[in-house]
Each structure stands twice: as structure tokens, then as C-alpha cells.
């Protein structure tokens, strides 16, 4: 009983450490004061100012577009690479390929940013929306690929795909009609992970973003030089609400497997 009590206390302290700052942020997004020091009353004016802040909304739109492109690319590449590694035993160097794919997870992001910037400059590739999207896709690829690969490995050694091909289906037909539906939970999870990684990226965006491309993390960084504005709390609260809705949608689209 004493051990259970200690575990309960530990869990409560951990959740408080994680979520109390979020609760304070949400509360002060409704505070009728410019400084987040004392509570002066309830107001929605910061949300009104947020939706009239053209620079912040523009950077948010740019960030969402880049994250969508990066998540689609990362999910597609992760699916193809995972399928090759799990369904083709003759594929030589699978372990080395998997290790190379995980390098972005272990490499400091500043090294990745400087390396990509050097590559684009040496290749005379102008920095623009697409170069930043490709860079984000590279960073997000290990997250989506690991999720998809784990799902494909759990599909009972591809016996369903083999049975479909024994009944006359081609490998492509088995992939489309059997593998893709079964891998849908991992595809959704991998895409959401890739979107999140791209959405919150700052270091790589700071190096790769070209002229006229300002992501939301960069915009917030520039605004932080003048202090924390309640508009930032309002924006973070809106993003938190969107994240909660996305998690609910994911739960509906990826039901738990039953034995």
C-alpha cells in the first residue's frame, strides 16, 4: 500500500509538472492585463487582436503549409522504405539503411541545419518554400518511418499479402488492397508525428528559411525580444485546442486492434 501511495504521488507530481504551466498559460490568455503578473479580470480582447495580427497569422499559414507538405513527403517515403525493408528479404543492407535513416534523430539539429544550408548553397539551390519543406520532410522521416515499419512488422509476417498473391493478386494489388488498409493506423500516426515535428521546428527553419519565408516559431522568437505578449498565450491556447481535437480524430480513425 505504501508503494502504491508513493507511485500515486509521483504520478500526480509528474502530471502537475507537465500540465500546470499549460493551465497557467490558458488562464492568462484571458487576463485583462498586458503583463502576465497579476490577474485583472476576464477578457477576450487578446484573441481579437490575435486574429487581426497579419504577421502572426501569415507565419501560421506558412507553417501549416510547410508542415502539410513535409508530412505527406515523410509519410510516403516512410511507407515505401518500410515496405522494402519488411517485405523484401533480398534487400541487402537493410540494417545499415535503417541506421542511416535514424541519423536525424541522433544528430544535433543545428548540425543538420548547417549541413542542409551548405548543401543548398553549394548546389546553387535558392532557399524558398520548397527547400524548407524538403528539409522538414528529412527531419520528420525517421518518426513516420519507425511508426509504419513497426506496424508492418506486426502484420503476422505478411501472410495475408502472400495469401492474396497465391489467389492471383499482383504484389501491387496486394499492397493497395491488403497492406495499405492494415497500415492505416501507422500512416495516420506517422503523418501526425511528421506534421508536429515540422510545425514546431525552429533551428532548421532559422537556417533554411529564405527571404520572405517566416514560420511561426521564427515569428514568435522575433516577438519574444520585446517580452511575452498575451497574444502569444492566446495563440498557444488555440494551438492546444487544435492539438486536442487532432488527437480525438486520430483516436477515431485508428481504433485499437482486437485479438
Amino acid at each position: 500500500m505504501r508503494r502504491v501511495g508513493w507511485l500515486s504521488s509521483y504520478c500526480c507530481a509528474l502530471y502537475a509538472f507537465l500540465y500546470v504551466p499549460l493551465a497557467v498559460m490558458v488562464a492568462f490568455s484571458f487576463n485583462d492585463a498586458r503583463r502576465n503578473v497579476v490577474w485583472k479580470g476576464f477578457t477576450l480582447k487578446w484573441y481579437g487582436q490575435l486574429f487581426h495580427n497579419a504577421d502572426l497569422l501569415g507565419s501560421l499559414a506558412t507553417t501549416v503549409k510547410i508542415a502539410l507538405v513535409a508530412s505527406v513527403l515523410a509519410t510516403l517515403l516512410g511507407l515505401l522504405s518500410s515496405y522494402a525493408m519488411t517485405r523484401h528479404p533480398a534487400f541487402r543492407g537493410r540494417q545499415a539503411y535503417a541506421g542511416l535513416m535514424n541519423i536525424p534523430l541522433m544528430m544535433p539539429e543545428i548540425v543538420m541545419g548547417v549541413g542542409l544550408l551548405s548543401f543548398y548553397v553549394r548546389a546553387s539551390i535558392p532557399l524558398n518554400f520548397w527547400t524548407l519543406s524538403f528539409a522538414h520532410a528529412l527531419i520528420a522521416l525517421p518518426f513516420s518511418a519507425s511508426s509504419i515499419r513497426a506496424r508492418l512488422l506486426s502484420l503476422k509476417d505478411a501472410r495475408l499479402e502472400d495469401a492474396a498473391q497465391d489467389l492471383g493478386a499482383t504484389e501491387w494489388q496486394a499492397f493497395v488492397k491488403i497492406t495499405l488498409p492494415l497500415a492505416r493506423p501507422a500512416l495516420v500516426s506517422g503523418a501526425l508525428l511528421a506534421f508536429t515535428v515540422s510545425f514546431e521546428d525552429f533551428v532548421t527553419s532559422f537556417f533554411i528559411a529564405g527571404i520572405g519565408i517566416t514560420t511561426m516559431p521564427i515569428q514568435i522568437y522575433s516577438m519574444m525580444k520585446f517580452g511575452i505578449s498575451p497574444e502569444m498565450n492566446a495563440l498557444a491556447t488555440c494551438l492546444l485546442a487544435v492539438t486536442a481535437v487532432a488527437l480525438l480524430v486520430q483516436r477515431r480513425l485508428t481504433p485499437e486492434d482486437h485479438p
Side-chain angles (χ1 to χ4, degrees):
M1 293 298 295
R2 181 177 298 178
R3 179 178 300 177
V4 173
W6 277 108
L7 288 175
S8 299
S9 301
Y10 171 77
C11 290
C12 291
L14 179 62
Y15 284 121
F17 177 78
L18 292 175
Y19 294 110
V20 167
L22 295 179
V24 173
M25 176 196 68
V26 173
F28 275 101
S29 70
F30 300 101
N31 184 24
D32 190 13
R34 190 71 187 178
R35 299 290 182 180
N36 294 331
V37 179
V38 294
W39 180 266
K40 290 190 176 181
F42 181 86
T43 184
L44 294 174
K45 67 179 181 181
W46 306 120
Y47 289 89
Q49 292 186 15
L50 170 65
F51 291 110
H52 288 86
N53 191 324
D55 293 335
L56 198 55
L57 293 180
S59 65
L60 175 60
T62 300
T63 304
V64 171
K65 293 176 184 178
I66 292 174
L68 286 174
V69 174
S71 61
V72 170
L73 290 175
T75 303
L76 178 60
L77 295 175
L79 173 62
L80 296 177
S81 62
S82 299
Y83 184 83
M85 287 188 288
T86 57
R87 294 298 185 265
H88 290 275
F91 176 35
R92 295 182 178 179
R94 287 183 296 171
Q95 297 300 325
Y97 183 79
L100 289 174
M101 186 177 295
N102 290 327
I103 285 180
L105 291 175
M106 300 174 287
M107 183 181 299
E109 195 170 350
I110 189 170
V111 176
M112 181 68 69
V114 173
L116 287 171
L117 177 60
S118 300
F119 169 76
Y120 286 142
V121 172
R122 291 299 182 99
S124 299
I125 300 175
L127 301 179
N128 52 34
F129 173 89
W130 294 106
T131 54
L132 183 56
S133 299
F134 295 149
H136 281 196
L138 176 62
I139 297 172
L141 177 59
F143 295 90
S144 60
S146 60
S147 176
I148 298 171
R149 186 184 181 190
R151 177 65 178 178
L152 293 180
L153 287 173
S154 68
L155 296 180
K156 299 181 180 180
D157 301 327
R159 284 183 290 179
L160 294 176
E161 293 97 320
D162 292 340
Q165 294 184 54
D166 290 339
L167 295 174
T170 64
E171 183 178 0
W172 172 252
Q173 290 174 329
F175 174 77
V176 173
K177 296 183 178 181
I178 303 296
T179 307
L180 279 183
L182 292 175
R184 187 185 66 175
L187 293 176
V188 175
S189 299
L192 288 176
L193 282 172
F195 185 91
T196 302
V197 170
S198 173
F199 190 89
E200 58 86 28
D201 180 81
F202 171 77
V203 177
T204 303
S205 300
F206 186 81
F207 285 97
I208 304 300
I211 299 176
I213 304 297
T214 303
T215 63
M216 193 185 66
I218 295 177
Q219 180 67 27
I220 291 178
Y221 173 74
S222 64
M223 294 173 62
M224 287 284 291
K225 297 177 182 179
F226 304 99
I228 299 178
S229 169
E231 295 177 28
M232 297 183 191
N233 292 334
L235 175 62
T237 301
C238 293
L239 294 177
L240 186 63
V242 171
T243 302
V245 172
L247 289 174
L248 292 176
V249 171
Q250 181 195 17
R251 293 283 296 179
R252 295 296 300 270
L253 293 178
T254 58
E256 295 182 359
D257 294 334
H258 297 284

